[in-house]
Amino acid sequence: MEDASRTEGGYIKLSRKMVEWEWYDEPNTFRVFIHCLFMANWKDSRYHGVEVPRGSFLTGREKLAESLNMSVQSVRTALSHLTSTNEITIKTTSKGSIITVVKYNEYQTVNQQNNQQLTN
């Protein structure tokens, strides 16, 4: 279900303003959100006939719980928090759930931009 090519997309960027985010002090919600950022496809893809657009990934609550070493109920609660404030959307398909980070482009950087910053 998980696409290894997502790592080719470079880096994500996090602003120091993140400490002011309403879920920052909720460890499980924060952790699930950061995981969503890391797992999101950096380009459109397909998995077994299912379109998985940029900023999204295909998974399930059980898979997330296993990956994060959390209970399914903790993952469910965190996902509920994140959908309630429109940080993510979740679409159910026959192959699993497509989780989309709503403002994905704000967290994505391009390798060329990062390399330029490093050389300056």
Side-chain angles (χ1 to χ4, degrees), residues 5-111:
S5 70
R6 90 177 81 260
T7 58
E8 297 173 13
Y11 307 92
I12 62 167
K13 63 180 180 178
L14 295 177
S15 169
R16 292 180 193 271
K17 291 181 193 176
M18 183 67 94
V19 298
E20 299 169 8
W21 181 49
E22 68 183 292
W23 298 117
Y24 182 78
D25 63 350
E26 210 310 301
N28 288 340
T29 303
F30 181 79
R31 188 168 173 209
V32 168
F33 184 66
I34 297 299
H35 186 73
C36 290
L37 288 174
F38 286 143
M39 297 307 297
N41 291 338
W42 67 278
K43 64 180 182 177
D44 294 344
S45 67
R46 291 181 61 82
Y47 178 79
H48 291 201
V50 176
E51 293 286 333
V52 185
R54 172 182 162 85
S56 305
F57 67 106
L58 185 63
T59 191
R61 286 189 300 269
E62 294 82 11
K63 178 68 176 166
L64 285 173
E66 180 182 320
S67 296
L68 294 166
N69 197 26
M70 294 171 58
S71 70
V72 173
Q73 181 58 50
S74 294
V75 167
R76 184 181 291 121
T77 299
L79 292 173
S80 177
H81 289 161
L82 294 169
T83 56
S84 74
T85 56
N86 203 36
E87 308 297 336
I88 63 169
T89 61
I90 302 173
K91 178 184 175 186
T92 303
T93 74
S94 61
K95 302 294 181 188
S97 296
I98 297 175
I99 296 179
T100 301
V101 177
V102 173
K103 296 179 183 177
Y104 177 75
N105 287 335
E106 293 180 20
Y107 297 98
Q108 182 65 38
T109 63
V110 178
N111 283 334

